């Protein structure tokens, strides 16, 4: 009990406690004092029996550390003040002049302050930097940092707090002063590299004690002295901060001992790779010695022994890499060994996305996993739900975000899952699909009431027409409940509010939406979210920070993303997942090092946004390469496991990735033969991964050939659907036999179909009102009618702003065109409806846009197109028979207002696109008379009807598509991409 053991982290301390108990074979024992460096207990120091009165008083008077969130908010306030008030005086651009941007930069500024504190660099050193040697941008940065170094300490003093890094250093210094007079039991520090000056002083003090010892993690005793000197060389070229031994070399220098004075505690394990790893990771300026090592027999034997238990997995993509890792982990713990010798396996990776993929892959076999890693609060179920609440309430209740909110598992609104699901479905079909309702929850209710009034006018194939009164009542009740739940936060949309109050209202809205939900689970992030809201509401800085309502979702996301939520551990699991930091001092029989690509392991060397590299060097701060050195040390330590698997993927996020420099160095030193053998062992797992979901037999998909019974086949179609019947009969099968109608997209802007409907309605109303004679000012009347039919678009200002000028151009063109047409016209029919019995079992229907009877008794048929009109060739070949079939119906008495046996003189497509010319009229040149073309079209239709009046005639997909890559409304149902890829009929015709 008189022994003191210093370890790097609390996790290492817990592992040490378990090991002591395992070695002793007991459930309880008096253990040493185990201290986590950097998390020293101040009370234990202050009340230690050997602490001086002065030291105890000093510690008792030590101010508390400022909270992380409070600190970020204060720094963001400072940055905003600089951006809006001080920066313009220096001619600085207004960057980070919004709260979300300032919060993002506040984290970087906080890292710099911590770096200055940790490296014990005084802010006055900034004055020694020579601005003339740097770009003007750095002059502005230095001006900002000089203000920050004054304003920040003053603000901390006002609050009576200090930075957490400064407080940590005070506690470590106090522990160091206590140890200088320590004469009791042994003191051992193990596993720390002394990368911080305060920690290095503590380790130096322990090393100087008579009964003190410092156990260095993974000290390289194999590297030659000349190469070792390069690691901490005094000149810039010689220093290698990216080397894994950089921190340990600096610590030995500080202690004042050489590597030769360090005792090796245990001989290398049989699988030892010490020399192999040392050689592979030697300083870049000494890699020419690889050639010499290649001729040393004992080194080659060491490499052969070390790499014999190393496997290399080179996957094609992250999904394949994750599945291969999961297989390797399962194999390690499911190898049939007795329970007394059960193996353990660990995945070590800095890539949390890859770790989540591995967790999902292991879940298919129900393998217990202890995942020590964590993720941002914003990626937990509770964090996602909170973000959706803020975005929905303050984003105008956009349909997509509202649906995501209502379908989130945490949303209950005092309903059971089935009832809420049915109400959500009704609300979605009623008003959330298609054109977006007006903003806010009031817009939802307005859209539902509008639908109640107009439901009888809907087209029978409109999905909303199938909604009954009960569905609309359910949708309206849900909309009212959503409005009441979001009211606390939605009320801020019209005003500015302080951040603390917004957080309180946000919390209230979340509670409203979660009414009736079961108790919080331990892993959904609800507890962490509740603590975050408590801190925001208690924060003085948040209470004094005024924000715009539109900024709150981004501000909340930035604050919540900084909170890391860790999963509940499973101590009994034999498979564990670690980040590189958590993996320190851990052991496992098989270790998998994953994500070995540049930018992941090692991480990118991100530049400091505040200080350039020369500035950091002059100040004595770490260069970005130091992160690579720490990452390399973690990599080297993990390679000490008995069984190692190294993995990477050739592509990340669809882009080619470069193999980690660590992996490339190992391959270079191992040699082609040994590395090929390691890759072959890895291919063993890749083969399993690729075969796992591979079917035993692949049967190429065939084009669909549905043959419904004769009585189920349509007996009536419109002329506009005949083209579908000719080009893609499957469309007729899906729409008229299966009765399927595609739903509109969620929250879509009004589509070209709505625009075409409005234009057609305006032209139709004009024709009906002025059928006999034109008004004195046709353009003015057409514009007035247009305002009536475009009124529903007032809910969509952007769409109206785009379409109304086009309609005005259409109106100007149409008014002039109409004057020219009326001189030779006797009667005009608009939106003329009729039908014609083509056979005994089939009727053709039509609604013609316009029919003119001329003074000579002949007729002209018009079709108004707001899109692209078919060409004369397509009409002549019978692929676009709308106009010719309408003419045939006229000739055979299909319309009550037009006598049979009439003569058709003209078939015209009128394009109303609203471009520069407004519109254009195209009279079809069919190389024959319109009457002959109409008779020919009707004869072809009779043949088509008779062919499909046979129960054995299928409805194939894409018989004559207009485009080779055309995918229509029902092509996903017909699985066109599957059978066309295998050369199925019609796939590429």
């Amino acid at each position: 009990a008189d022994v003191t053991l210093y370890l790097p982290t609390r996790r290492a301390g817990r592992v040490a406690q378990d090991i002591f108990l395992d070695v002793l074979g007991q459930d309880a024992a008096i253990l040493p004092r185990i201290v986590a460096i950097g998390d020293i207990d101040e009370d234990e120091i202050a009340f230690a029996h050997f602490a001086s009165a002065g030291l105890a008083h000093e510690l008792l008077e030590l101010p508390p550390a400022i909270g992380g969130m409070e600190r970020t908010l204060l720094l963001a306030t400072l940055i905003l003040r600089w951006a809006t008030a001080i920066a313009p005086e220096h001619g600085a651009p207004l960057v980070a002049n919004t709260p979300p941007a300032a919060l993002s930069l506040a984290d970087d500024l906080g890292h710099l302050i911590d770096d200055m504190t940790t490296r014990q660099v005084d802010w006055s050193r900034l004055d020694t930097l020579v601005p003339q040697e740097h770009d003007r941008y750095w002059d502005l940065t230095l001006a900002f940092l000089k203000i920050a170094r004054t304003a920040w300490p003053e603000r901390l003093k006002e609050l009576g707090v200090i930075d957490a890094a400064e407080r940590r250093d005070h506690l470590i210094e106090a522990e160091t002063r206590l140890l200088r007079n320590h004469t009791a039991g042994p003191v051992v520090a193990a596993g720390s590299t002394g990368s911080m000056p305060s920690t290095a002083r503590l380790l130096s003090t322990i090393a100087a004690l008579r009964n003190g010892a410092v156990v260095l993690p993974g000290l390289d005793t194999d590297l030659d002295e000349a190469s070792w000197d390069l690691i901490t060389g005094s000149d810039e070229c010689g220093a290698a901060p990216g080397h894994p031994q950089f921190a340990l070399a600096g610590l030995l220098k500080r202690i004042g001992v050489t590597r030769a004075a360090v005792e090796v505690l245990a001989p290398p394990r049989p699988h030892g790779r010490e020399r192999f790893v040392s050689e592979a990771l030697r300083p870049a300026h000494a890699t020419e010695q690889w050639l010499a090592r290649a001729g040393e027999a004992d080194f080659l034997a060491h490499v052969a022994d070390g790499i014999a238990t190393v496997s290399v997995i080179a996957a094609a993509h992250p999904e394949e890499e994750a599945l291969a890792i999961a297989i390797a982990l399962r194999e390690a713990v499911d190898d049939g060994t007795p329970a007394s010798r059960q193996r353990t396996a660990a995945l070590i990776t800095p890539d949390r996305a890859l770790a989540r993929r591995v967790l999902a892959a292991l879940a298919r076999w129900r393998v217990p996993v202890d995942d020590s890693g964590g993720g941002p609060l914003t990626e937990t179920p509770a964090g996602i739900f909170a973000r959706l609440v803020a975005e929905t309430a303050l984003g105008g209740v956009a349909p997509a975000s509202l649906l995501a909110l209502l379908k989130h598992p945490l949303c209950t609104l005092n309903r059971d899952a089935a009832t809420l699901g049915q109400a959500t479905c009704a609300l979605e079909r009623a008003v959330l699909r298609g054109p977006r309702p007006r903003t806010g929850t009031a817009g939802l209710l307005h859209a539902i009431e509008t639908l109640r009034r107009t439901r009888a006018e809907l087209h029978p194939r409109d999905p909303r027409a199938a909604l009954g009164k009960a569905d609309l009542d359910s949708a309206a009740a849900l909309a009212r409940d959503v409005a009441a739940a979001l009211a606390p936060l939605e009320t801020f949309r019209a005003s500015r509010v302080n951040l603390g109050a917004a957080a309180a209202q946000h919390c209230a809205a979340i509670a409203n939406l979660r009414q009736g939900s079961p108790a919080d689970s331990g892993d959904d992030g609800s507890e962490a979210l509740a603590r975050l809201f408590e801190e925001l509401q208690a924060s003085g800085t948040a209470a004094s920070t005024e924000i715009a309502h539109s900024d709150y979702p981004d501000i909340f996301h930035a604050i919540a993303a900084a909170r890391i939520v860790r999963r509940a551990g499973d101590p009994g699991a034999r498979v564990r997942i670690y980040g590189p930091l958590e993996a320190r001092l851990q052991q496992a029989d098989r270790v998998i090092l994953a994500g070995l690509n540049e930018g992941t392991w090692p991480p990118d060397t991100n530049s400091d946004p505040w200080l350039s590299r020369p500035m950091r060097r002059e100040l004595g701060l770490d260069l970005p390469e130091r992160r690579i050195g720490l990452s390399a040390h973690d990599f080297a330590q993990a390679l000490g496991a008995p069984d190692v698997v190294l993995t990477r993927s050739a592509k990340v996020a669809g882009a080619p990735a470069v193999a980690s420099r660590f992996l490339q160095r190992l391959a270079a030193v191992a040699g082609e033969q040994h590395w090929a053998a390691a890759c072959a062992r890895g291919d063993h797992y890749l083969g399993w991964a690729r075969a796992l979901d591979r079917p035993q037999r692949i049967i190429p998909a065939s084009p669909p050939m549905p043959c419904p019974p004769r009585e189920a086949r349509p007996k009536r179609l419109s002329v506009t659907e005949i083209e579908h019947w000719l080009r893609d009969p499957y469309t007729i099968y899906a729409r008229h036999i299966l009765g399927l109608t595609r739903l509109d997209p969620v929250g879509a802007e009004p589509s070209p179909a709505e625009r075409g409907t409005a234009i057609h309605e305006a032209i139709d109303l004009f024709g009906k009102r002025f059928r006999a004679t034109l008004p004195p000012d046709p353009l003015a009347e057409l514009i007035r009618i247009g305002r009536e039919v475009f009124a529903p678009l007032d809910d969509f200002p952007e769409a109206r702003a785009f379409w109304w000028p086009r309609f005005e151009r259409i109106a100007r063109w149409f008014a002039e065109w109409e004057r020219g047409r009326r001189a030779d016209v006797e009667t005009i029919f608009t939106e003329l409806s009729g039908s014609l019995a083509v056979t005994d079992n089939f009727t053709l229907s039509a609604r013609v846009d316009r029919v003119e009877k001329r003074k000579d008794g002949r007729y002209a048929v018009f079709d108004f197109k707001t899109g692209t009109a078919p060409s004369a060739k397509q009409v002549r070949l019978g692929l676009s028979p709308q106009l010719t079939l309408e003419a045939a119906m006229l000739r055979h008495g299909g319309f009550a207002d037009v006598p049979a046996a009439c003569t058709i003189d003209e078939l015209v497509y009128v394009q109303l696109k609203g471009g520069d010319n407004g519109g254009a009229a195209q009279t079809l040149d069919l190389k024959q008379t319109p009457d002959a073309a109409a008779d020919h079209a009707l004869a072809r239709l009779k043949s088509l009807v008779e062919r499909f009046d046979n129960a054995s005639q299928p409805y194939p997909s894409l018989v004559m598509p207009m485009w080779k890559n055309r995918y229509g409304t029902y092509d996903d149902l017909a699985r066109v991409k599957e059978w066309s890829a295998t050369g199925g009929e019609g796939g590429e015709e």
Side-chain angles (χ1 to χ4, degrees):
D2 62 347
V3 175
T4 302
L5 177 60
Y6 291 91
L7 296 173
T9 62
R10 285 186 175 183
R11 175 179 291 275
R14 290 193 295 269
V15 172
Q17 292 175 4
D18 294 338
I19 291 175
F20 275 122
L21 295 175
D22 290 341
V23 171
L24 292 171
Q26 299 177 4
D27 294 331
I30 298 177
L31 299 179
R33 176 193 176 216
I34 300 177
V35 181
I37 301 176
D39 195 17
I40 294 173
D41 189 337
E42 60 184 294
D43 293 335
E44 188 172 348
I45 301 173
F47 294 103
H49 67 277
F50 47 80
S52 66
L55 179 58
H57 178 74
E58 175 187 336
L59 290 173
L60 289 173
E61 294 296 325
L62 191 63
I66 186 172
M69 186 198 68
E70 189 77 5
R71 183 192 197 214
T72 301
L73 291 175
L74 283 172
L75 288 173
T77 302
L78 182 65
I79 293 171
L80 277 175
R81 191 183 74 177
W82 161 261
T84 58
I86 302 173
E89 298 175 5
H90 290 78
L94 286 179
V95 295
N97 58 344
T98 63
L103 282 169
S104 178
L105 271 184
D107 287 334
D108 292 323
L109 181 57
H111 291 322
L112 176 61
I113 293 173
D114 288 343
D115 207 0
M116 298 281 282
T117 301
T118 299
R119 294 296 154 193
Q120 299 179 350
V121 178
D122 193 273
W123 286 96
S124 62
R125 290 281 305 281
L126 291 174
D127 298 330
T128 64
L129 300 179
V130 183
Q132 289 77 11
E133 296 179 0
H134 306 288
D135 186 85
R136 182 175 174 275
Y137 169 81
W138 300 113
D139 290 344
L140 298 173
T141 301
L142 289 176
F144 170 77
L145 292 178
K146 288 177 182 178
I147 294 172
R149 81 188 191 196
T150 303
W152 181 240
E154 290 177 353
R155 184 63 176 136
L156 291 179
K157 187 176 180 180
E158 291 174 7
L159 297 173
V161 294
I162 58 176
D163 280 317
E166 182 181 354
R167 198 169 195 279
R168 175 206 62 207
D169 284 352
H170 279 308
L171 292 175
I172 294 177
E173 290 294 341
E175 187 83 5
T176 302
R177 293 200 295 275
L178 283 176
L179 287 174
R180 287 175 188 150
N181 301 319
H182 183 67
T183 57
V187 179
V188 180
S192 177
T193 60
S195 57
M196 299 186 302
S198 57
T199 305
R201 281 194 294 273
L202 175 65
L203 298 179
S204 300
T205 301
I206 295 172
L209 293 175
R210 179 181 59 81
N211 55 353
V214 176
V215 182
L216 302 176
L219 178 67
D220 187 350
T221 58
D222 296 297
L223 192 64
D224 59 276
E225 286 298 328
S227 300
W228 179 265
D229 291 339
L230 291 174
I231 297 175
T232 56
S234 57
D235 61 318
E236 180 189 349
C237 295
H243 193 275
Q245 298 289 309
F246 182 78
L248 289 174
L251 178 61
L252 289 179
K253 267 190 176 182
R254 183 179 189 89
I255 295 175
V257 298
T258 62
R259 280 190 303 162
V262 179
E263 179 183 352
V264 178
L265 294 182
R269 303 276 297 275
H271 65 273
R273 307 181 184 93
E274 290 81 3
R275 291 181 60 193
F276 176 32
V277 175
S278 171
E279 195 63 38
L281 300 180
R282 67 165 46 247
H285 295 292
T287 51
E288 73 280 354
Q289 297 188 34
W290 284 350
L291 293 175
R293 297 292 182 272
E296 297 178 3
D298 63 331
F299 177 73
L300 295 178
H302 172 80
V303 171
D305 291 341
I307 205 171
T309 52
V310 174
S311 304
V312 179
I313 295 176
H317 47 76
E319 291 80 7
E320 185 178 82
E321 181 184 8
L323 187 53
I325 292 170
I327 292 172
L329 289 170
R330 185 188 179 196
E331 181 196 50
V333 299
D334 192 17
D335 58 356
T337 56
S340 59
R341 295 198 304 273
Q342 284 183 340
R343 302 178 70 203
T344 58
L347 167 64
I348 304 175
T349 179
D351 187 346
R352 284 302 302 169
L354 179 61
R356 286 193 293 270
R357 285 191 172 103
V358 174
L359 277 171
L362 288 171
R364 71 194 299 177
W365 302 305
R366 296 181 175 86
V367 176
V369 182
D370 183 11
D371 181 12
S372 68
L377 174 58
T378 48
E379 294 181 5
T380 64
I384 293 172
F385 183 68
R387 177 170 53 82
L388 286 172
V389 172
E391 291 177 353
T392 302
L394 298 176
V397 193
S401 63
L402 176 60
L403 277 177
L405 178 64
L406 292 174
K407 295 181 180 182
H408 194 283
L410 295 182
C411 183
T412 53
L413 283 169
N414 267 330
R415 291 170 168 85
D416 59 72
T419 304
L420 179 61
Q422 292 171 358
T424 301
C425 181
L427 181 65
E428 177 181 350
R429 294 175 60 193
V431 296
L432 298 183
R433 287 188 174 273
R436 172 177 172 171
R438 295 177 182 177
T439 59
T441 52
L444 282 181
L445 295 169
H446 169 77
I448 293 173
E449 293 307 314
T450 301
L451 180 60
R452 285 185 190 275
R453 295 193 306 270
T454 61
R455 187 162 60 93
E457 304 171 9
L458 296 176
H459 192 280
R461 283 202 301 270
D462 191 318
R464 296 173 296 174
L467 293 172
K469 181 179 182 300
D471 294 320
L472 292 181
D473 291 343
S474 176
L478 179 60
R480 286 192 294 270
D481 287 351
V482 168
L486 295 180
L489 194 56
E490 194 179 13
T491 53
F492 284 133
R493 294 191 67 253
S495 62
R496 295 179 65 85
V497 65
N498 72 70
L499 179 57
Q505 300 304 320
H506 187 189
C507 186
I510 292 173
N512 292 340
L513 290 162
R514 294 190 64 174
Q515 284 183 4
S517 63
D520 300 337
S521 64
D523 291 336
D524 69 357
S526 294
E527 293 181 5
L529 181 65
R531 288 194 297 270
L532 174 61
F533 279 127
E534 288 174 3
E535 293 180 26
L536 276 171
Q537 294 174 54
S539 168
T541 304
S544 61
T545 302
E546 191 177 74
I547 61 171
H549 74 273
S550 58
D551 286 335
Y552 177 75
D554 290 334
I555 293 173
F556 171 78
H557 186 274
I559 295 173
R563 294 294 180 97
I564 301 300
V565 179
R566 302 195 181 278
R567 295 164 54 95
D570 183 1
R574 291 189 290 140
V575 174
R576 298 176 181 269
I577 297 179
Y578 298 120
L581 179 63
E582 291 84 11
R584 294 173 184 174
L585 303 185
Q586 305 294 326
Q587 297 183 60
D589 296 305
R590 169 172 288 176
V591 168
I592 300 179
L593 309 182
L596 289 169
N597 283 324
E598 285 293 308
T600 302
W601 199 347
D604 288 325
T605 55
N606 297 325
S607 300
D608 187 339
W610 306 107
L611 297 174
S612 66
R613 290 173 58 86
M615 289 178 176
R616 293 185 66 88
R617 186 171 55 250
E618 291 178 36
L619 291 172
L621 300 177
D622 286 334
L623 296 180
E625 287 77 11
R626 184 67 184 277
R627 293 186 65 202
I628 295 179
L630 297 174
S631 180
H633 187 269
D634 292 333
F635 176 79
Q637 288 293 93
L639 283 173
D643 182 5
V644 174
V645 181
L646 309 174
T647 77
R648 67 171 295 262
S649 58
K651 286 188 176 182
V652 176
V658 178
S660 168
R661 65 192 70 182
F662 306 149
L663 209 58
Q664 296 184 52
R665 281 171 166 261
L666 289 178
V669 173
E672 185 175 347
Q673 181 179 354
H674 291 312
W675 194 253
C679 291
R681 290 189 289 273
D683 289 343
H684 175 67
Y685 299 108
L686 279 178
W688 277 352
R690 290 165 181 166
L692 190 61
D693 297 317
R694 182 186 300 147
Q696 294 182 352
R697 190 161 64 101
I698 298 176
I699 302 175
S702 300
M705 294 291 177
C707 291
R710 186 168 177 264
E711 59 271 14
R713 300 185 177 221
K715 304 297 189 295
R716 182 186 185 96
L717 291 175
S718 68
V719 291
T720 57
E721 291 175 311
I722 301 303
E723 182 171 351
H724 290 306
W725 205 0
L726 290 167
R727 293 184 179 274
D728 185 20
Y730 192 86
T731 294
I732 302 300
Y733 168 75
R735 179 179 295 170
H736 293 277
I737 299 175
L738 298 183
L740 300 178
T741 302
R742 181 179 290 277
L743 296 176
D744 292 329
V746 173
E749 291 293 332
S751 67
E754 277 89 17
R755 176 192 64 184
T757 299
I759 293 172
H760 274 78
E761 185 178 354
I763 299 298
D764 175 44
L765 287 175
F766 181 84
K768 282 183 167 61
R769 292 179 184 178
F770 305 104
R771 180 174 177 178
T773 59
L774 286 176
D777 190 349
L779 176 59
E781 290 295 333
L782 194 53
I783 292 294
R784 187 179 61 79
I785 293 173
R787 289 197 177 96
E788 295 176 12
V789 299
F790 271 77
L793 291 179
D794 290 341
D795 289 347
F796 314 100
E798 292 182 0
R800 195 182 194 288
F802 179 75
W803 289 351
W804 180 251
R806 287 177 172 266
F807 177 77
E808 289 180 322
R809 290 193 288 270
I810 291 171
R812 282 193 292 271
W813 177 87
F814 187 81
E816 291 300 320
W817 178 78
E818 189 72 295
R819 283 194 181 98
R821 297 288 309 181
R822 288 296 179 103
D824 195 34
V825 172
E826 178 181 308
T827 307
I828 291 178
F829 306 95
T830 62
E831 298 294 331
L832 190 62
S833 296
S835 61
L836 177 68
V838 179
T839 67
D840 293 340
N841 293 323
F842 184 84
T843 300
L844 179 67
S845 64
R847 188 175 183 182
V848 186
D849 289 339
R850 178 176 173 127
V851 175
E852 290 180 356
K853 180 183 180 182
R854 295 182 181 174
K855 294 178 179 178
D856 59 5
R858 293 182 296 177
Y859 287 80
V861 184
F862 297 82
D863 185 40
F864 297 135
K865 294 290 186 184
T866 55
T868 301
S871 66
K873 182 178 180 181
Q874 290 171 338
V875 177
R876 189 166 60 249
L877 293 176
L879 298 178
S880 298
Q882 179 180 347
L883 270 179
T884 51
L885 286 176
E886 290 173 348
M889 291 178 65
L890 285 169
R891 286 176 48 76
H892 290 81
F895 298 95
D897 295 331
V898 179
C902 62
T903 300
I904 309 300
D905 182 57
E906 193 176 13
L907 301 178
V908 183
Y909 278 118
V910 180
Q911 289 190 312
L912 303 174
K913 292 185 176 182
D916 293 338
N917 296 326
Q922 175 192 0
T923 300
L924 295 180
D925 180 9
L926 302 178
K927 309 301 183 184
Q928 58 183 328
T929 64
D931 288 344
D935 293 341
H936 180 67
L938 185 59
R940 289 194 60 183
L941 177 60
K942 286 182 180 179
S943 175
L944 183 68
V945 170
E946 291 169 356
R947 178 153 51 96
F948 278 89
D949 197 26
N950 184 347
S952 63
Q953 171 62 42
Y955 284 80
S957 174
L958 299 184
V959 174
M960 292 183 292
M962 185 177 295
W963 312 107
K964 292 179 68 175
N965 61 347
R966 177 253 194 200
Y967 295 104
T969 302
Y970 300 99
D971 291 348
D972 50 351
L973 183 66
R975 302 170 70 175
V976 168
K977 290 187 177 181
E978 295 182 38
W979 54 261
S980 63
T982 59
E985 270 187 37
E988 295 296 331
E989 296 297 320

